[in-house]
Amino acid sequence: MTATDEPHVLLRTEGRAGFITLNRPRAINALTHPMVLGIDEALTAWERDPAVETVVIDGAGERGLCAGGDIRAIHDDARAGGSASAGFWRDEYRLNARIARFPKPYVAFMDGIVMGGGVGVSAHGSVRIVTERSRVAMPETGIGFVPDVGGTYLLSRAPGELGTHLALTGTPVGAADALLTGLADHVVRSVDLPRLAAELTRAPAHEVLPGFARTPVTPGELADQREWIDACYAADTVETVIDRLLDSGVPEAKEAATTLLGRSPTALKVTLAALRRARRLDSLESVLDMEFRLSCAALSSHDLVEGIRAQVVDKDRDPRWSPPELSAVTDEAVARYFGPPSTGDLGLAAHTP
């Protein structure tokens, strides 16, 4: 069997642990629908297996755990007016909810790049480990999309308006800021992850982690920026957020405003509305139900296809958003994203235990 013939999800059990390895290293382990189903099947088997006490998820290759969903496939499906992406999201979001409620320790090695769907299969786990190499982000507004996989749930619960800043700009964070914003629990040196994995085959996570956990090598940036972030992003509209950023006199705030002005205006307004709603919803399942509506609406939008084209397909980095200005994105256009999709709602909250 050649490397290209290997399954995209590698499963094995050793001692007390079951291991899930995402195995598309050339694509930074971007998730496909079969990969989501494979992870779910493994969790079903191991939930019932008394020999498996801990589940560990990691990514093959040197670049990261997972760069997100397979957005090329989403681009092609959206252009064709298909429904495959909605089916993918339906199963992916169900998996995200399952991970959050998994009855055994679910240990995520969030080493390297962890973005979008990669956050979904890691940051809802019970033991979330980042390293000095971690770059964690929800960068969806840059492709005309909205943070999903429970991203608006996680970011809406970060301290102050830090999550609003990260969701709108898509800024990646390192280990220290992942801890601060609640996206991770522990820092372990990247070089120590194989030894930690070996220890997890012999003993529970809560017993072995103290021997590996470290303080972040590099200090975070967000704690020192809380004052201007909280003041600027507390605004009710994206336009006011940008005005406050530009008027703050803080160089980092001006950089954030410049970033926002390059993002999809529609995606920014929908994301801000989604974050505010997510903050009021009482469960991850309720937020995932909302995000499913947003994702399905985005599938028929101009900006998602155009954003992926510019960033991933043609790589000209020059998306032509429609409408191109924030002022042209109406409240009615934003509200459309929150309506029930033609394929039917996800309905996770209705079945929450």
Side-chain angles (χ1 to χ4, degrees):
M1 177 181 286
T2 66
T4 56
D5 294 327
E6 286 188 347
H8 288 165
V9 176
L10 303 178
L11 306 173
R12 67 182 177 90
T13 56
E14 181 180 344
R16 299 180 174 197
F19 292 88
I20 301 168
T21 298
L22 307 181
N23 188 40
R24 296 183 69 210
R26 294 178 66 179
I28 321 181
N29 304 312
L31 291 172
T32 64
H33 200 164
M35 291 170 72
V36 166
L37 297 176
I39 297 169
D40 188 65
E41 289 172 6
L43 294 183
T44 295
W46 292 342
E47 183 174 347
R48 300 168 181 166
D49 186 347
V52 175
E53 298 178 4
T54 303
V55 172
V56 180
I57 187 167
D58 64 7
E62 298 298 319
R63 298 171 70 189
L65 170 66
C66 176
D70 187 346
I71 58 175
R72 278 183 175 269
I74 294 170
H75 170 270
D76 295 345
D77 185 45
R79 284 193 64 188
S83 60
S85 297
F88 166 62
W89 289 322
R90 189 178 291 275
D91 288 329
E92 183 184 25
Y93 301 173
R94 285 172 174 164
L95 175 63
N96 302 146
R98 180 176 197 176
I99 288 169
R101 293 188 177 274
F102 197 67
K104 300 178 180 182
Y106 180 100
V107 182
F109 287 0
M110 301 170 70
D111 189 33
I113 292 172
V114 185
M115 296 185 178
V119 173
V121 296
S122 60
H124 298 300
S126 52
V127 183
R128 305 161 307 167
I129 296 169
V130 285
T131 75
E132 75 282 358
R133 297 181 347 109
S134 294
R135 302 299 289 166
V136 185
M138 297 298 295
E140 286 77 9
T141 60
I143 58 166
F145 197 44
V146 180
D148 66 335
V149 299
T152 62
Y153 178 86
L154 295 165
L155 294 176
S156 69
R157 284 153 174 79
E161 297 294 337
L162 295 180
T164 310
H165 170 62
L166 297 182
L168 293 179
T169 63
T171 300
V173 297
D177 286 332
L179 297 182
L180 173 63
T181 54
L183 297 173
D185 307 302
H186 307 280
V187 180
V188 173
R189 295 189 306 169
S190 180
V191 70
D192 289 338
L193 291 179
R195 195 159 55 90
L196 172 58
E199 290 295 324
L200 290 171
T201 69
R202 295 186 282 269
H206 71 272
E207 292 183 8
V208 303
L209 263 172
F212 290 88
R214 301 286 187 270
T215 57
V217 174
T218 305
E221 300 175 358
L222 294 179
D224 291 340
Q225 298 175 0
R226 273 290 300 276
E227 184 175 356
W228 66 263
I229 287 176
D230 287 354
C232 295
Y233 286 95
D236 292 331
T237 68
V238 178
E239 291 94 330
T240 307
V241 168
I242 292 175
D243 287 343
R244 290 183 181 182
L245 290 169
L246 291 172
D247 293 342
S248 70
V250 179
E252 292 88 351
K254 186 175 181 179
E255 291 175 12
T258 301
T259 296
L260 293 180
L261 289 170
R263 299 291 190 246
S264 159
T266 301
L268 289 177
K269 286 201 170 185
V270 174
T271 296
L272 183 60
L275 287 166
R276 299 300 189 243
R277 292 194 188 198
R279 192 176 284 172
R280 298 192 299 267
L281 293 172
D282 62 358
S283 70
L284 171 62
E285 286 81 2
S286 296
V287 175
L288 287 166
D289 284 345
M290 176 191 72
E291 290 179 350
F292 184 71
R293 291 184 169 198
L294 304 179
S295 298
C296 290
L299 193 63
S300 61
S301 72
H302 166 276
D303 279 8
L304 178 59
V305 171
E306 173 62 10
I308 299 175
R309 179 207 64 76
Q311 300 296 339
V312 178
V313 180
D314 296 337
K315 299 183 180 179
D316 59 27
R317 307 291 192 262
D318 185 26
R320 294 169 176 82
W321 307 121
S322 180
E325 303 289 341
L326 284 162
S327 60
V329 181
T330 65
D331 291 343
E332 291 76 17
V334 172
R336 182 184 71 83
Y337 277 74
F338 293 87
S342 60
T343 55
D345 272 320
L346 185 59
L348 271 175
H351 299 96
T352 304

